[in-house]
Amino acid sequence: MAKQSTQLQLSGQATIYNFLLNEVLASQLGSNGTFWIVAPWVTNFRLDKPYYVSFQQIVETKQEALHLFDILHQIAGNGSDVKITVGTDSNYHSPLKQLSQQSDRIQLKVLPELHSKAYVGCYGAIDGSFNLTGRGLNQNIELFTYYHDERNIAELKQTCCQYFNQGYSI
């Protein structure tokens, strides 16, 4: 039976924070995996304290507070690839493009008509309604499923790969 948990809550904050922490740790193990993001909107939102997990010792940041892009940059810096597929709303592209220019391990593609949201790493995967934005994680009522079994992770990874390959570079 598949291991998963579906949650309806005011935010996916605790789940995504734990998910991100696990993936940063996985990238430190030298697995050289790929961290996939598929969402129409992705922003460099602040990971508000309390984190529910401790990022302090494993993620370097030059800012006072930790932000999503710090996590993605750290995953790439540890040797894993980060592949991001977003929608066509160009208001969100510039910061993502700047992030991708910081490392050749961070790649960005645009897929027209994208509405799906999925986040996949080595040890977990999430799909559901929330975008990787401050509002999507901290304010909106969202429905999502977290998977930690190999079959579901592999299926979502394949979907993310297909979306990424269908997209175009900016």
Side-chain angles (χ1 to χ4, degrees):
M1 181 158 151
K3 297 176 184 177
Q4 64 187 41
S5 58
T6 301
Q7 301 176 20
L8 176 63
Q9 58 186 34
L10 287 177
S11 77
Q13 190 180 68
T15 300
I16 195 70
Y17 287 11
N18 283 298
F19 172 65
L20 291 171
L21 178 65
N22 287 337
E23 296 309 321
V24 169
L25 292 171
S27 69
Q28 286 183 335
L29 295 174
S31 63
N32 296 328
T34 301
F35 185 76
W36 298 91
I37 295 174
V38 172
W41 300 281
V42 177
T43 64
N44 192 22
F45 63 90
R46 179 180 174 157
L47 297 169
D48 294 324
K49 292 181 183 178
Y51 298 133
Y52 303 102
V53 294
S54 178
F55 285 108
Q56 301 283 347
Q57 297 175 354
I58 60 170
V59 177
E60 296 179 28
T61 181
K62 295 176 183 168
Q63 304 174 65
E64 183 178 314
L66 189 64
H67 291 75
L68 175 65
F69 289 7
D70 296 323
I71 302 292
L72 301 179
H73 190 264
Q74 187 71 52
I75 290 171
N78 290 342
S80 293
D81 292 325
V82 177
K83 296 191 178 187
I84 305 168
T85 307
V86 295
T88 56
D89 189 339
S90 61
N91 293 323
Y92 294 86
H93 293 174
S94 181
L96 288 164
K97 193 169 182 179
Q98 289 175 3
L99 174 68
S100 70
Q101 291 170 344
Q102 293 177 11
S103 171
D104 59 353
R105 291 197 168 276
I106 302 173
Q107 298 175 359
L108 175 64
K109 295 226 180 153
V110 174
L111 183 61
E113 307 303 322
L114 179 66
H115 189 70
S116 299
K117 291 99 177 166
Y119 316 102
V120 181
C122 294
Y123 298 111
I126 298 173
D127 68 354
S129 63
F130 69 86
N131 289 292
L132 278 181
T133 64
R135 199 170 165 83
L137 253 7
N138 301 314
Q139 296 173 5
N140 297 344
I141 296 173
E142 305 285 357
L143 181 65
F144 60 90
T145 304
Y146 173 75
Y147 303 95
H148 48 94
D149 65 288
E150 291 180 22
R151 184 181 61 85
N152 282 307
I153 292 169
E155 286 177 7
L156 271 177
K157 189 179 292 186
Q158 183 178 18
T159 299
C160 290
C161 182
Q162 289 172 349
Y163 287 169
F164 186 82
N165 289 336
Q166 291 172 8
Y168 62 86
S169 299
I170 54 171

